[in-house]
Amino acid sequence: FAEKILRAQPNVKKLYLLLRTSDNKSATQRFRNEILGKDLFMVLRNSLGANLESFISERVTPISGDICDENLGIKGCILREEMWKEIDIVLNSAATTKFDERYDVALGTNTYGALHVLSFAQNCVKLKVLLHVSTAYVCGEKEGNILESPFYMGDTLKGTSKLDFNAEKELVKEYQDRLRVQGATNEVIISTMKDFGIERAKLYGWSNTYTYTKAMGEMLLGQFNQNLPLVIIRPTMVTSTYKEPFSGWIEGTRTIDGVISAYAKGKLECFAAHPKSILDIIPADMVVNSMIVAMVAHANKSSQIIFHVGSSLRNPMTLYTLKEFLFRYFTRNPWIGKNGKSIKVGKGIVFSSMARFHAYMAIRYKLPLKVLGLANEVLCHYYRDMYIDRKRKVAFGMRLVELYKPYVFFTGSFDDSNTEKLRVAAKESDADLHLLDFDPKCIDWEDYIMNTHIPGLLKYAMKP
């Protein structure tokens, strides 16, 4: 988003970028190393040349802070007053996106972080719009057409009981206090809080801590926005850039990329997926373009609106189609292992139900593991290291499958009526549609996956 604004709208007066650091000097250093130094800014660097430094210094102010804290952790009342006086758009894209993040951390960032951003925005006297980036998967494991509908305070997906935010906060505190009294190690606390997050999410109908705490964040925004112009963007699975500033850029492996990486390296022998499951992915630059258009279209409108930004309704691609693309790509372009040899990939076994997958795992891995465990006991722990390593790998694999299950068996499609109205409005205006395109209909999935996404993933994210 920052790169797009600086490249496409160079007359922007100022961007305040909140970064989690110890002080503003460290924030500036982190901005230059971890953001401006990325390949993503190559187009801007090439176009400005020697003028880049002065251009950035005039327009970007890195700020040390943390959305988990009141006033976003911004130190110094003079700086805060300056920001409240000057800022007219607030964008919150901060989140912890781990499916099994520890519950206290996810609550602090995804839920109460959203409330802290809202409180800060309410102090901005020139505010035109607050844009909050959520996720389409706050819907849980729904089927059919999923509408761009808001959450209301206390809503749950099960509908059996209401969410009590204060009670959840107290539960977390009690849980942590109990663990400390018991002398639990930091590793045990982390592991326990991760499991606790999943437990609370499932209790109310969500599949993981990420979507659950993001949904709670939306509830707080809806409850306390006091008719502030509020835009909530719900992207689906965000993938590498389609066109801008160039094709294929990606930061890290996200959602489906972990599967692609494991498959390329020969670590994924089987898939579990519903035959009709749609893989709803959307390139990062299309998400950014939708954010910019939404900001302009809904500035100064004292209401809340939600936009699904995805592809499942207008240009669906199935998981089975992706599997074919992966087989073709890595058969022609095999991954080279650490030993210098190419990895041969197979088509992979596909299980259309979790029951079949569990049966396969029991025969293929769990039964041999039991035999190894018995041999280890009989032979005075001779196979101890091997047994522990294989047991850990099986447990890790099973946990990953459980975390990804809601997505590989997802059969819903995301209605994007609001987003389509936004596209129509952009076409009818004087906007440069080449610069602000976010219509997934134009994507040729075979070309994008084979020639853009996988090569970009190999170049920018996958490690040996």
Side-chain angles (χ1 to χ4, degrees):
F1 179 83
E3 190 279 338
K4 175 71 182 234
I5 292 293
L6 292 168
R7 176 171 46 84
Q9 186 54 273
N11 293 326
V12 63
K13 186 180 177 183
K14 185 173 286 189
L15 285 177
Y16 291 100
L17 292 185
L18 191 76
L19 298 167
R20 190 179 283 168
T21 54
S22 56
D23 53 41
N24 288 338
K25 185 180 177 182
S26 301
T28 300
Q29 188 176 1
R30 186 179 174 198
F31 166 69
R32 295 191 177 282
N33 294 341
E34 296 182 29
I35 300 174
L36 195 59
K38 289 189 183 298
D39 288 343
L40 180 70
F41 284 82
M42 178 173 59
V43 173
L44 198 64
R45 282 197 295 271
N46 290 342
S47 65
L48 292 172
N51 297 322
L52 178 68
E53 190 70 29
S54 59
F55 176 84
I56 295 295
S57 297
E58 288 170 10
R59 290 163 180 79
V60 182
T61 303
I63 302 290
S64 173
D66 192 330
I67 68 165
C68 295
D69 301 329
E70 296 288 339
N71 289 320
L72 308 185
I74 298 169
K75 301 178 184 74
C77 57
I78 295 174
L79 176 59
R80 287 200 302 270
E81 291 287 346
E82 174 195 306
M83 293 173 73
W84 287 335
K85 191 170 74 174
E86 291 191 14
I87 287 172
D88 54 4
I89 293 174
V90 174
L91 160 64
N92 177 30
S93 62
T96 173
T97 58
K98 293 178 185 174
F99 293 161
D100 62 343
E101 181 63 272
R102 47 187 290 179
Y103 192 28
D104 53 334
V105 172
L107 266 181
T109 304
N110 297 344
T111 303
Y112 287 99
L115 184 61
H116 293 150
V117 172
L118 174 65
S119 299
F120 190 88
Q122 286 168 336
N123 284 314
C124 297
V125 293
K126 292 181 182 177
L127 190 78
K128 293 177 181 176
V129 65
L130 164 61
L131 188 141
H132 175 78
V133 182
S134 185
T135 170
Y137 294 97
V138 289
C139 66
E141 299 176 61
K142 285 186 179 178
E143 299 177 354
N145 192 39
I146 300 159
L147 301 178
E148 294 161 303
S149 304
F151 281 105
Y152 297 100
M153 201 67 176
D155 279 355
T156 68
L157 296 182
K158 285 190 173 177
T160 51
S161 57
K162 287 186 77 68
L163 252 172
D164 185 328
F165 283 60
N166 291 328
E168 291 302 307
K169 231 178 172 181
E170 284 301 313
L171 269 176
V172 168
K173 188 176 181 302
E174 287 173 16
Y175 223 73
Q176 288 178 315
D177 289 345
R178 196 182 315 141
L179 287 167
R180 290 190 188 101
V181 167
Q182 292 169 353
T185 63
N186 191 49
E187 288 76 16
V188 169
I189 291 173
I190 291 170
S191 175
T192 305
M193 292 309 296
K194 282 185 174 185
D195 291 340
F196 189 45
I198 296 286
E199 178 190 318
R200 300 307 292 178
K202 289 185 174 179
L203 177 67
Y204 294 114
W206 281 271
S207 55
N208 58 54
T209 314
Y210 168 57
T211 54
Y212 166 54
T213 53
K214 288 294 282 185
M216 291 168 76
E218 285 194 24
M219 291 178 205
L220 288 175
L221 290 174
Q223 178 74 9
F224 297 109
N225 73 359
Q226 297 173 347
N227 293 323
L228 204 73
L230 173 63
V231 173
I232 295 177
I233 297 281
R234 289 179 182 165
T236 51
M237 299 182 198
V238 182
T239 52
S240 59
T241 54
Y242 182 62
K243 284 182 181 177
E244 289 190 79
F246 51 85
S247 301
W249 185 82
I250 191 169
E251 184 174 26
T253 54
R254 311 207 180 264
T255 53
I256 205 67
D257 297 329
V259 173
I260 296 174
S261 177
Y263 176 77
K265 295 174 183 179
K267 296 178 180 177
L268 195 66
E269 297 176 359
C270 58
F271 295 82
H274 192 286
K276 294 181 181 178
S277 185
I278 294 171
L279 180 66
D280 196 322
I281 62 176
I282 189 77
D285 48 338
M286 288 193 175
V287 178
V288 167
N289 289 345
S290 71
M291 289 160 61
I292 293 170
V293 175
M295 283 175 171
V296 174
H298 289 274
N300 297 318
K301 292 185 179 179
S302 57
S303 59
Q304 173 182 329
I305 190 163
I306 293 167
F307 296 102
H308 280 153
V309 184
S311 60
S312 57
L313 192 69
R314 300 186 182 276
N315 190 4
M317 177 178 68
T318 66
L319 272 164
Y320 274 58
T321 303
L322 175 70
K323 184 180 82 72
E324 290 302 314
F325 293 159
L326 295 183
F327 175 70
R328 279 163 48 195
Y329 186 91
F330 288 108
T331 299
R332 297 171 190 169
N333 311 279
W335 178 262
I336 306 302
K338 291 180 181 179
N339 59 3
K341 295 181 179 179
S342 59
I343 305 293
K344 187 177 180 180
V345 296
K347 280 209 167 185
I349 308 165
V350 181
F351 299 100
S352 57
S353 72
M354 286 302 290
R356 290 178 180 179
F357 172 76
H358 283 298
Y360 170 81
M361 289 298 290
I363 296 167
R364 179 74 174 79
Y365 292 104
K366 291 186 177 180
L367 186 58
L369 185 64
K370 281 187 177 180
V371 173
L372 181 63
L374 287 170
N376 183 51
E377 291 293 328
V378 171
L379 298 172
C380 303
H381 303 286
Y382 182 79
Y383 296 110
R384 180 179 177 275
D385 291 345
M386 185 190 296
Y387 175 71
I388 290 172
D389 180 58
R390 291 188 183 178
K391 185 179 180 181
R392 180 186 58 79
K393 285 179 178 175
V394 169
F396 178 73
M398 294 302 292
R399 185 176 178 88
L400 272 185
V401 168
E402 284 300 317
L403 288 173
Y404 277 94
K405 181 177 72 172
Y407 303 96
V408 295
F409 285 94
F410 191 82
T411 56
S413 61
F414 294 102
D415 181 272
D416 64 350
S417 299
N418 289 341
T419 311
E420 178 60 14
K421 289 175 188 173
L422 203 61
R423 281 190 281 263
V424 171
K427 286 175 185 175
E428 292 173 351
S429 70
D430 295 328
D432 186 339
L433 295 180
H434 175 72
L435 271 176
L436 295 168
D437 178 39
F438 56 99
D439 190 346
K441 273 187 177 180
C442 69
I443 303 172
D444 177 329
W445 290 119
E446 181 175 0
D447 179 62
Y448 172 73
I449 296 295
M450 301 283 282
N451 300 317
T452 297
H453 186 63
I454 297 177
L457 192 62
L458 293 170
K459 183 176 182 179
Y460 297 108
M462 278 177 62
K463 296 175 182 178

